[in-house]
């Protein structure tokens, strides 16, 4: 299980050891409708309720973690753990009794730091969840499948902060920026959403450029947060090294500029994420390489690319 180094560890037992494992793909923000400290939230879940969240955040920025991020917590209804083993990381944040107040500056800073860590440690893509099971970031009321009886949580003021401050802050910080990205004149992004279901044999050790609708994902100048999803056959050896690499070219496919490769292993689904700017006239593309110990080829079953982008 994974523990965030920026939080005080207050482990709940037996939940922390008894509940099933998840592969975290989402971060969902809540308000607890109580002006509690992180310690008081821990005491409530320990003594008065069998439900819990992964994290608790007080008004003063006091942050505690109660469950490892690779263990199921109960705050997100159908997003707690899905049949495929994926699930959401949740945080309860102190608020007034009706969760109508905004997050404090200290709370916002902690939410941004934690959001960046989840992106870096667990690979959460830098986007707002488009559906209830879409990887990314969100708040409790965003999708009905995240609440058993409907909810206004975390309140209108905090939803506005999430969209205008918290989520952009996570994206900017993850990309090494401290100032807001200059996309406010066009706050609603375009969406990239393409797929290719044709099987493809990958020769061991060889890079292969991938085509979705075409081989060109985006044409600059754009700012993008792009996720490539690849599905490999069950017969793929578990020690197979899968590497994905985003890169840009000129309009003729030359003058390559490579991003750092992203590594995964074995069969099943893998995600490869990139958040960056593509310069004017540059084309964003993606390639993959599979390396097996016996040099056998590997079958790529399905590929899709998704994510928002903003014209610059």
């Amino acid at each position: 299980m994974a523990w965030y180094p920026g939080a005080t560890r207050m482990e709940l037992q037996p939940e922390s050891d008894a509940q099933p494992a998840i592969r975290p793909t989402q971060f969902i923000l809540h308000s607890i409708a109580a002006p509690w400290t992180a310690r008081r939230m821990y005491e409530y879940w320990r003594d008065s309720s069998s439900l819990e969240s992964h994290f608790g955040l007080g008004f003063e920025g006091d942050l505690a973690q109660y469950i490892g991020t690779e263990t199921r917590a109960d705050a997100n209804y159908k997003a707690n753990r899905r049949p495929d083993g994926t699930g959401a990381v949740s945080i309860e944040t102190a608020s007034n009794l009706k969760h109508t107040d905004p997050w404090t500056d200290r709370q916002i800073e902690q939410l941004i730091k934690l959001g960046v860590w989840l992106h870096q440690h667990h690979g959460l893509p830098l986007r707002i969840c488009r559906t209830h099971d879409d990887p990314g970031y969100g708040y409790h009321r965003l999708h009905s499948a995240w609440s058993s009886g409907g909810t206004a949580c975390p309140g209108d003021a905090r939803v506005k902060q999430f969209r205008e401050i918290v989520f952009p802050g996570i994206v900017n910080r993850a990309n090494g920026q401290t100032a807001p990205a200059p996309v406010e004149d066009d706050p609603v992004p375009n969406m990239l959403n393409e797929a290719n279901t044709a099987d493809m044999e990958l020769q061991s050790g060889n890079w292969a450029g991938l085509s979705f609708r075409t081989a060109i994902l985006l044409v600059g100048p754009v700012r993008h947060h792009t996720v490539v999803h690849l599905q490999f056959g069950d017969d793929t050896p578990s020690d197979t090294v899968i590497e994905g690499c985003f890169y840009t070219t000129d309009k003729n496919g030359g003058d390559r500029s490579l991003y750092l490769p992203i590594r995964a292993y074995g069969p099943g689904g893998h995600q490869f994420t990139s958040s960056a700017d593509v310069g004017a006239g540059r084309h964003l593309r993606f390639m993959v390489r599979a390396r097996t110990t016996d040099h056998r080829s590997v079958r790529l079953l399905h590929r899709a690319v998704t994510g928002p982008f903003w014209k610059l």
Side-chain angles (χ1 to χ4, degrees), residues 97-117:
L97 298 179
K98 296 182 179 180
H99 51 63
T100 56
D101 56 334
W103 284 306
T104 68
D105 290 345
R106 291 179 180 179
Q107 286 179 310
I108 288 173
E109 177 62 18
Q110 290 283 35
L111 291 171
I112 290 173
K113 287 180 178 178
L114 178 55
V116 171
W117 181 80

Side-chain angles (χ1 to χ4, degrees), residues 22-310:
I22 62 168
R23 179 170 60 85
T25 59
Q26 296 173 326
F27 183 36
I28 301 178
L29 282 61
H30 301 247
S31 290
I32 200 168
W36 289 348
T37 64
R39 165 65 62 177
R40 178 66 184 90
M41 293 181 210
Y42 167 75
E43 293 168 349
Y44 172 72
W45 283 316
R46 182 193 63 190
D47 302 334
S48 305
S49 175
S50 61
L51 306 179
E52 76 288 314
S53 186
H54 290 93
F55 293 91
L57 177 61
F59 282 127
E60 298 302 315
D62 47 306
L63 178 67
Q65 184 173 359
Y66 315 115
I67 300 283
T69 53
E70 292 170 304
T71 300
R72 191 204 72 197
D74 299 320
N76 311 295
Y77 190 38
K78 292 183 179 179
N80 294 332
R81 187 180 188 275
R82 303 182 187 87
D84 64 358
T86 63
V89 173
S90 52
I91 184 168
E92 290 284 359
T93 60
S95 69
N96 63 24
L97 298 179
K98 296 182 179 180
H99 51 63
T100 56
D101 56 334
W103 284 306
T104 68
D105 290 345
R106 291 179 180 179
Q107 286 179 310
I108 288 173
E109 177 62 18
Q110 290 283 35
L111 291 171
I112 290 173
K113 287 180 178 178
L114 178 55
V116 171
W117 181 80
L118 290 168
H119 167 69
Q120 294 173 339
H121 190 81
H122 289 305
L124 270 63
L126 295 171
R127 66 168 182 248
I128 297 174
C129 300
R130 298 160 299 179
T131 63
H132 70 93
D133 57 358
D134 183 46
Y137 296 74
Y139 44 86
H140 196 193
R141 78 186 198 194
L142 181 61
H143 296 294
S144 60
W146 294 353
S147 171
S148 60
T151 181
C153 173
D156 292 345
R158 295 184 177 194
V159 168
K160 187 173 188 292
Q161 286 177 307
F162 175 86
R163 291 188 171 274
E164 296 181 358
I165 302 173
V166 175
F167 179 68
I170 292 169
V171 173
N172 295 335
R173 194 84 56 90
N175 289 327
Q177 301 171 354
T178 57
V183 298
E184 295 303 319
D185 291 338
D186 185 18
V188 179
N190 296 292
M191 296 301 300
L192 179 63
N193 190 3
E194 299 173 1
N196 190 325
T197 59
D199 289 3
M200 182 176 180
E201 291 289 329
L202 300 178
Q203 299 300 316
S204 179
N206 295 337
W207 285 103
L210 294 187
S211 176
F212 297 85
R213 183 176 59 84
T214 69
I216 300 168
L217 306 184
L218 294 168
V219 177
V222 294
R223 171 161 294 133
H224 71 96
H225 310 304
T226 302
V227 181
V228 168
H229 311 256
L230 303 182
Q231 183 72 32
F232 290 85
D234 292 340
D235 58 348
T236 303
S238 60
D239 59 354
T240 301
V241 179
I242 309 292
E243 292 176 292
C245 185
F246 291 87
Y247 64 102
T248 63
T249 69
D250 60 25
K251 64 180 182 179
N252 297 316
D255 188 23
R256 285 191 177 189
S257 177
L258 301 179
Y259 296 25
L260 289 175
I262 305 165
R263 182 171 293 180
Y265 298 90
H270 302 296
Q271 290 187 2
F272 304 86
T273 304
S274 175
S275 300
D277 291 353
V278 177
R282 301 291 291 176
H283 291 185
L284 179 68
R285 302 170 186 257
F286 182 84
M287 59 183 177
V288 64
R289 177 171 69 176
R291 291 186 285 131
T292 55
T293 55
D294 58 1
H295 306 294
R296 77 172 74 174
S297 61
V298 169
R299 181 175 296 176
L300 174 61
L301 302 180
H302 177 80
R303 52 198 184 270
V305 59
T306 61
F309 64 94
W310 294 261

